[in-house]
Amino acid sequence: MRVSAIWFVLTAAGALLLRSQLPLGWTYVVVACTGVVLFSAQVMVYAATSTLYRDSERAAGLGRVAGVGRTGAVFGPWLGGVLAASGHDSWGFTAFAMAGLLGAAAIACVPLAARASRGTAQPIGRPV
């Protein structure tokens, strides 16, 4: 989970970096690196889902996690459109960076929530 949180923070940094007026070549590099890091973070979240849910709950848990991600995939372009239409298009990268930081905070809290819901037990799949 810690690596996923770091990857989400790096995604936020990449989004903020895109606010600056970089040369076109560097913009492509930042976009590519930010995209790879974001996609990797999402895949790590999906992989971690299998260690946090019991076998009988795993499909529902993965569906819930995917649903949260799809909600962001719908809300993000809508928010970008609203900001652009209202003349605040420069806030778009800041808003997406804040979403990355929110993702980092949320994923960092998962181990705490897992421990709280199971007492002091470790997540499924880890030796006790």
Side-chain angles (χ1 to χ4, degrees):
M1 294 294 174
R2 187 176 310 144
V3 175
S4 296
I6 292 168
W7 258 226
F8 278 117
V9 169
L10 290 174
T11 299
L16 284 177
L17 192 55
L18 289 171
R19 283 193 68 186
S20 61
Q21 299 296 323
L22 298 171
L24 185 60
W26 282 109
T27 300
Y28 286 145
V29 169
V30 171
V31 167
C33 291
T34 302
V36 167
V37 170
L38 175 60
F39 182 74
S40 300
Q42 291 172 328
V43 170
M44 285 187 268
V45 169
Y46 291 145
T49 300
S50 67
T51 65
L52 294 170
Y53 289 96
R54 294 181 183 91
D55 291 342
S56 61
E57 303 169 337
R58 197 163 291 147
L62 185 57
R64 186 177 300 133
V65 168
V68 169
R70 294 302 89 208
T71 301
V74 170
F75 184 70
W78 173 82
L79 178 61
V82 167
L83 290 173
S86 65
H88 298 101
D89 51 344
S90 65
W91 293 3
F93 290 121
T94 303
F96 296 137
M98 289 173 31
L101 293 176
L102 178 64
I107 205 70
C109 291
V110 168
L112 300 172
R115 277 190 225 117
S117 68
R118 293 191 180 117
T120 59
Q122 294 292 323
I124 305 292
R126 287 192 177 172
V128 177

